[in-house]
Structures are given as C-alpha cells and as structure tokens.
Amino acid sequence: MKERTALGEAILKHWRENCPQIVRDLEKQNRLEQAVFEAQEKTGDLLYELVSVRKMNYQDAWELAAQEWALPQSEGLPPEARPSGKSRSGTSRRNRRPRPRRATSG
C-alpha cells in the first residue's frame, strides 16, 4: 500500500477546494488515491531536483513544484472536466509573465 504523506494531504485538500468535480470524477474511477500518490511523488522528485541539484532557493522551488500539482492529471477524465488549453496550474504557460526579481542590497 502506498502511503500518503503530509504533502499528499495538502495536495488532496487543495484539489477538493479548487477542483471538486475532477476529484469526484477521479473518485468514481477509483483513481483518486493513485493520482494523489503520483502528485506527491512527482512533487518530491521535482523539489529534490530544483533544490539539491540545481541549487534553487527552496521557496522558489516550492512555488514551481506547487504549480505542477495545482490541478490533478486530467487523462482519462471526460472533456468537460479537463482544463482546456491550459497547463496543470490553470494558467496558460504562453501568457505567463515572468516574476519580477527582488533587488538585493550590497
């Protein structure tokens, strides 16, 4: 049995609050637990890659990783339940503006 972590709980809570229909569809398909587990594993792997390998600031890495699980994977869901033309974060990657950098003293 795959274990849900605190990250998995946070992911599920976010999904239930922000995309309840997709959660219901995943539950009907008996795929919710698997989707949560996959999201928590991918997020952990991505955080490791960004922080440990690429030496990214943890907060910035967390923000990027959270975008990856903002919406559940929509494969196998009916078309009306899928986010159309958008990334999993719900925003078009093409139209996303770069974040302004903070000035540093020194």
Side-chain angles (χ1 to χ4, degrees):
M1 175 78 181
K2 298 170 184 168
E3 186 176 324
R4 189 183 315 156
T5 64
L7 175 58
E9 292 294 333
I11 290 169
L12 182 57
K13 179 181 179 197
H14 174 83
W15 288 356
R16 286 193 190 279
E17 292 172 358
N18 296 285
C19 41
Q21 183 59 50
I22 294 175
V23 170
R24 283 190 293 272
D25 291 341
L26 287 168
E27 286 174 327
K28 285 178 189 175
Q29 298 171 9
N30 292 318
R31 293 185 52 230
L32 181 60
E33 289 301 317
Q34 181 64 30
V36 171
F37 180 77
E38 289 173 5
Q40 81 182 14
E41 292 297 300
K42 288 178 183 177
T43 302
D45 292 347
L46 181 57
L47 281 171
Y48 175 81
E49 170 72 21
L50 295 174
V51 173
S52 298
V53 177
R54 297 187 186 181
K55 308 298 184 199
M56 183 181 280
N57 169 286
Y58 182 83
Q59 186 60 40
D60 292 339
W62 172 253
E63 289 176 19
L64 284 175
Q67 290 176 9
E68 292 299 312
W69 56 259
L71 292 175
Q73 293 291 324
S74 58
E75 294 87 32
L77 294 179
E80 64 274 7
R82 292 184 197 137
S84 59
K86 296 185 178 182
S87 71
R88 282 175 278 162
S89 65
T91 58
S92 172
R93 291 181 190 265
R94 208 174 318 142
N95 296 332
R96 191 179 305 154
R97 290 184 179 167
R99 288 184 28 215
R101 294 202 171 254
R102 286 186 261 169
T104 57
S105 60

